[in-house]
Amino acid sequence: MADSQVLPKRGPFRSTWLRARKARTPLVLSRRPRRRLGTLRWCGRRRLRRRLLQAEAAGADWRESGCPVPRAVARRPKPEAPRPAPAAPPAASGPATLPIPPVRPAGPGRALLLLPLEQGFTFSGICRVTCLYGQVQVFGFTISQGQPAQEVFSAYTHSRLAINAVHYSMPEKSKKEMKREARTLLRSHLSRDDRCWLMKNFSPLCSIVMLEQLKTSTVNFLVSHPGLSYVFVQESPTFQINSEHLALRSVGIKREKKKNGLRLTESVLSALEELVTVSCEVDGCPVILVCGSQDVGKSTFNRYLINQLLNSISCIDYLECDLGQTEFTPPGCISLLNITEPILGPPFTHQRTPQKMVYYGKPSCKSNYENYIEIIKYVFSSYKRESPLIVNTMGWVSDKGLLLLIDLIRLLSPSHVVQFSSGRSKYMPNLTPDYVDDMDGLYTKSKSRVRNRGFQLAEFTENLEFADEEKESPVVFTGHKLIRVQSDFTFRKTPRNRESHNKVLRDLAVLGYLGQLQPPVPRPLCPLHGLTPYQVPFNAVALRIIHADVAPTHILYAVNASWVGLCKILDDVRGYANGPILLAQTPICDCLGFGICRGIDMEKRLYHILTPVPPEELRNVNCLLVGAISIPQCVFKSQRGLEGTIPYITTDYNFKLPGASEKIGARETEETCEEKVHPKPKLYRRIN
């Protein structure tokens, strides 16, 4: 029998290849990826096509307006010499780096983040973070599996936040048992494909995080104003069109470089560890005063310290003494707050109601030091010493600012003083206990000049008298522990643009407070002129202009379209018939909130006040204070729905009128000619 002939296998004809190519799904790209695609070779186009189809299969919406990509004729690759097989890589002792991107789309507005141990994910934008397995840390706050989701705000005005995987205790279980436990935990959150992807790349030390899209009425109100849409996410051209980029975009965040994130020096970490240890003791209620010059990272340190303390204790008290850059309130306030939730964003994203607050009315205390000290004494008297207290101070630490800081140290008697210094900041002497004892303050004298007249702190806070001649203080300072911190904080502010940058942050804080007026999502935003204001009779509240002397006949012009503090004074103002009721001096009283005087009805003698303060609190308001804190210009210029002439806006203004210049009417002393008060020119009109 003849041997059967074995025929060689033949590949498909060229027509078969052409039919297969025509059957492919057409790709739709925008102009820039199309331009980049034209420069790729055959292999590069094939790889790019595979990635795009994988992203489409994963459910990501990567298609943009454009036209189908023309398919060029495939070129046969050049034959290459055979290469030797690569050697097997050596076995690694630790967890290996994932060969795939750590982000995977998990549905509309959701993404999975797989973080190996000690790896981080730096991003910009806002999202809701949930730890499904393991343990991660965001801005010093630890999020473990089973804990509720946290809202994270990473803005371009501050250092970008990062989600870092941290070490957590592992029971004595095998890797198979851990994977089974993780699969059980993820079953109620993820689909089968997502669980399979995670289990394929699972390691015992990794952490699994769910990133979800977050929309709040405050953020929507902020970014609705022109020029503020860049605060959280800045769109930039990118060539990385992959599933990770599209998944993050659907969530509303963007991956950032690690160098744009927060970097803590060794001295900062050492100070945090020491303060957390002291605060977690049985009787640990330290008073921590943080001081230093401007732009050295004091506020960032305070937020990180608060988050670190909340990992171990339930609440922290916070005393705000910085008038220009407040943390939880609009600017111009001295406040005491009880913090129970983590701080995962800049100040304009977490405006809160203080336990006690006084409206100073100006972003600086240079015009009235004595009133500044008296207000701090009044607010500090509400501290009950039941939890640690963090005191934030001003960045003015030269000349009289340093003397005022020494007065604060003697007044508050802190147990720890954290002093920041930087190579870019001005020289500041070390505030050791000996230095504070031997140095005269602005209103207090050194220990050698007290003349043995010693009283306790409680008596000092009640009976401190400011003498015109000697201004001696009867307090005996008990001493503190100085912790020096060398800051490597990078910032963009310079002496030229610092004031404008701080003005933007103050406007954002005011807008963040006004965002509380908006209805909750998913209801649409409502312009401020479309909200219903409260009607307040003239004889129900008293008026006071804090920052300038205004003639009584012009008081209502100054109050109209202004930012007002809603305060409560002890005097009864209900005995007056008509009003308006004018105060001769600025009272030190509780401030319950803020609002906008939207209009004044002279016929019915009513103020129209727009405020987020609840009605039960408004019943206690009997005083309106007007200061130098102004309403942001975008509130007047960018309200939707206005037709014709915009109220309160004019270009025809005569600065030669009495009171229109910056020097006439400002309430100043001879010692404070350094800073001038700039009243805002406006055309006073009523909003119908």
Side-chain angles (χ1 to χ4, degrees):
M1 184 175 179
D3 295 337
S4 60
Q5 184 179 3
V6 179
L7 298 177
K9 294 183 179 180
R10 299 180 60 184
F13 293 101
R14 185 171 182 84
S15 59
T16 307
W17 285 105
L18 293 177
R19 286 196 299 269
R21 289 176 59 83
K22 291 180 180 180
R24 292 182 181 178
T25 306
L27 298 179
V28 180
L29 299 177
S30 60
R31 181 180 302 174
R32 188 179 295 274
R34 258 198 338 267
R35 204 177 284 169
R36 178 173 178 253
L37 185 63
T39 61
L40 296 178
R41 299 184 57 124
W42 178 80
C43 296
R45 295 187 183 186
R46 188 175 178 183
R47 286 194 297 268
L48 180 60
R49 178 184 178 80
R50 189 187 306 117
R51 292 177 184 175
L52 295 178
L53 292 179
Q54 289 177 356
E56 180 181 359
D61 186 13
W62 56 269
R63 303 192 180 202
E64 299 177 354
S65 61
C67 59
V69 178
R71 296 183 175 84
V73 179
R75 289 181 289 183
R76 189 182 302 275
K78 298 181 179 180
E80 298 180 359
R83 299 179 180 178
S93 57
T97 305
L98 293 179
I100 58 176
V103 178
R104 172 185 172 88
R110 303 175 69 194
L112 280 175
L113 179 63
L114 185 61
L115 285 176
L117 180 63
E118 297 181 355
Q119 287 196 14
F121 174 75
T122 307
F123 69 98
S124 61
I126 62 174
C127 65
R128 183 179 287 107
V129 178
T130 306
C131 185
L132 302 180
Y133 182 82
Q135 195 173 78
V136 295
Q137 194 174 86
V138 182
F139 207 21
F141 184 74
T142 302
I143 307 175
S144 304
Q145 63 184 42
Q147 291 185 354
Q150 298 293 335
E151 298 180 353
V152 182
F153 305 85
S154 182
Y156 277 84
T157 55
H158 297 71
S159 297
R160 265 44 115 230
L161 301 185
I163 304 174
N164 299 307
V166 296
H167 186 272
Y168 53 92
S169 59
M170 295 175 51
E172 296 295 334
K173 295 181 181 180
S174 62
K175 182 177 179 180
K176 185 176 181 180
E177 293 175 343
M178 293 180 185
K179 293 180 69 173
R180 186 182 301 112
E181 179 184 0
R183 190 183 293 108
T184 304
L185 292 173
L186 300 175
R187 187 168 297 164
S188 59
H189 301 279
L190 305 175
S191 62
R192 184 176 181 275
D193 294 339
D194 295 333
R195 294 198 305 269
C196 293
W197 179 81
L198 291 172
M199 293 300 104
K200 180 181 179 181
N201 304 283
F202 179 85
S203 64
L205 298 177
C206 71
S207 298
I208 303 174
V209 179
M210 174 67 75
L211 306 176
E212 297 177 284
Q213 188 180 35
L214 174 63
K215 291 184 178 180
T216 64
S217 56
T218 300
V219 173
N220 293 342
F221 179 74
L222 279 171
V223 300
S224 65
H225 294 85
L228 298 182
S229 58
Y230 70 93
V231 171
F232 293 105
V233 176
Q234 294 183 1
E235 293 293 339
S236 58
T238 178
F239 295 109
Q240 296 181 351
I241 307 177
N242 50 28
S243 58
E244 175 186 338
H245 172 75
L246 300 173
L248 296 179
R249 190 174 66 176
S250 66
V251 175
I253 61 178
K254 176 186 175 183
R255 181 191 285 269
E256 296 285 344
K257 295 181 180 180
K258 187 178 180 180
K259 66 178 182 180
N260 295 331
L262 180 65
R263 291 178 291 180
L264 301 179
T265 60
E266 292 295 333
S267 59
V268 171
L269 296 175
S270 176
L272 289 170
E273 183 179 1
E274 180 178 354
L275 295 175
V276 170
T277 303
V278 172
S279 302
C280 294
E281 294 178 354
V282 178
D283 298 328
C285 289
V287 178
I288 305 168
L289 186 142
V290 183
C291 61
S293 58
Q294 296 179 343
D295 305 325
V296 293
K298 299 189 301 295
S299 300
T300 303
F301 178 85
N302 291 335
R303 298 185 204 111
Y304 202 95
L305 177 59
I306 290 174
N307 294 335
Q308 287 270 289
L309 292 176
L310 288 177
N311 293 330
S312 306
I313 57 181
S314 58
C315 62
I316 300 100
D317 288 333
Y318 185 87
L319 178 61
E320 181 61 79
C321 300
D322 189 356
L323 297 171
Q325 303 298 329
T326 53
E327 185 67 34
F328 300 99
T329 64
C333 299
I334 296 175
S335 58
L336 177 68
L337 297 95
N338 188 263
I339 310 300
T340 58
E341 297 179 356
I343 312 302
L344 303 178
F348 51 86
T349 61
H350 50 253
Q351 296 289 299
R352 300 181 181 178
T353 302
Q355 178 182 348
K356 198 175 192 65
M357 177 174 60
V358 175
Y359 185 44
Y360 186 83
K362 287 169 282 189
S364 175
C365 68
K366 293 183 180 180
S367 60
N368 195 342
Y369 308 110
E370 184 175 341
N371 193 34
Y372 176 74
I373 290 289
E374 289 290 343
I375 291 177
I376 292 180
K377 288 167 49 182
Y378 176 76
V379 175
F380 181 68
S381 63
S382 299
Y383 175 54
K384 301 179 180 179
R385 296 186 180 272
E386 297 178 353
S387 57
L389 175 66
I390 299 176
V391 182
N392 184 36
T393 59
M394 300 181 296
W396 181 36
V397 292
S398 61
D399 301 330
K400 293 183 179 180
L402 179 61
L403 304 181
L404 199 62
L405 179 60
I406 293 176
D407 289 339
L408 286 182
I409 294 177
R410 289 175 177 161
L411 170 64
L412 304 179
S413 185
S415 60
H416 296 77
V417 173
V418 182
Q419 181 177 348
F420 275 78
S421 61
S422 174
R424 301 182 181 181
S425 59
K426 296 182 179 180
Y427 170 75
M428 180 181 178
N430 296 331
L431 299 178
T432 60
D434 294 338
Y435 179 85
V436 175
D437 287 341
D438 299 337
M439 188 69 179
D440 292 340
L442 196 61
Y443 293 102
T444 59
K445 294 299 181 180
S446 61
K447 188 175 181 180
S448 59
R449 302 181 62 178
V450 171
R451 302 175 183 176
N452 297 325
R453 295 185 304 169
F455 294 90
Q456 299 297 324
L457 178 64
E459 186 175 353
F460 168 61
T461 56
E462 295 176 0
N463 303 321
L464 179 59
E465 297 290 338
F466 297 106
D468 294 334
E469 298 178 357
E470 296 184 352
K471 297 180 181 179
E472 295 180 352
S473 168
V475 67
V476 174
F477 183 62
T478 59
H480 61 267
K481 181 176 182 180
L482 177 64
I483 302 177
R484 294 190 58 191
V485 173
Q486 183 67 25
S487 174
D488 192 18
F489 187 71
T490 58
F491 53 89
R492 304 176 183 175
K493 288 188 283 187
T494 62
R496 294 184 178 181
N497 65 358
R498 177 179 289 115
E499 184 59 32
S500 61
H501 187 89
N502 293 340
K503 180 65 167 57
V504 171
L505 295 181
R506 288 194 290 266
D507 289 347
L508 287 173
V510 173
L511 291 175
Y513 186 86
L514 293 177
Q516 303 176 17
L517 289 167
Q518 298 298 322
V521 291
R523 295 173 58 185
L525 294 177
C526 183
L528 295 182
H529 63 83
L531 299 174
T532 303
Y534 292 96
Q535 294 182 351
V536 182
F538 279 7
N539 58 358
V541 292
L543 295 180
R544 175 64 179 172
I545 308 297
I546 299 175
H547 65 292
D549 292 322
V550 181
T553 55
H554 293 169
I555 286 288
L556 295 183
Y557 291 100
V559 174
N560 194 18
S562 295
W563 182 257
V564 296
L566 310 178
C567 304
K568 176 185 177 182
I569 59 177
L570 299 179
D571 299 335
D572 191 4
V573 299
R574 292 176 298 180
Y576 297 88
N578 296 323
I581 306 171
L582 306 182
L583 297 178
Q585 295 181 350
T586 302
I588 298 179
C589 55
D590 293 344
C591 181
L592 306 182
F594 296 91
I596 297 177
C597 185
R598 187 178 179 273
I600 298 178
D601 193 336
M602 295 301 298
E603 297 179 359
K604 299 181 180 179
R605 310 188 72 78
L606 295 173
Y607 303 108
H608 294 270
I609 305 296
L610 201 61
T611 176
V613 179
E616 56 271 14
E617 292 289 338
L618 290 177
R619 297 188 181 97
N620 301 321
V621 175
N622 58 359
C623 178
L624 301 181
L625 297 182
V626 180
I629 308 301
S630 59
I631 303 173
Q633 295 183 4
C634 58
V635 173
F636 294 103
K637 297 180 180 180
S638 306
Q639 291 297 311
R640 294 181 292 107
L642 291 177
E643 298 180 358
T645 305
I646 302 178
Y648 304 104
I649 301 296
T650 182
T651 57
D652 185 14
Y653 188 83
N654 187 4
F655 286 92
K656 297 181 180 180
L657 293 175
S661 65
E662 61 184 31
K663 298 182 181 179
I664 301 177
R667 186 182 296 117
E668 295 185 353
T669 61
E670 296 180 357
E671 301 176 346
T672 58
C673 295
E674 307 170 1
E675 182 182 4
K676 303 299 181 182
V677 179
H678 300 268
K680 53 180 180 180
K682 49 181 178 283
L683 178 64
Y684 298 105
R685 286 175 148 181
R686 286 186 52 203
I687 300 179
N688 296 325

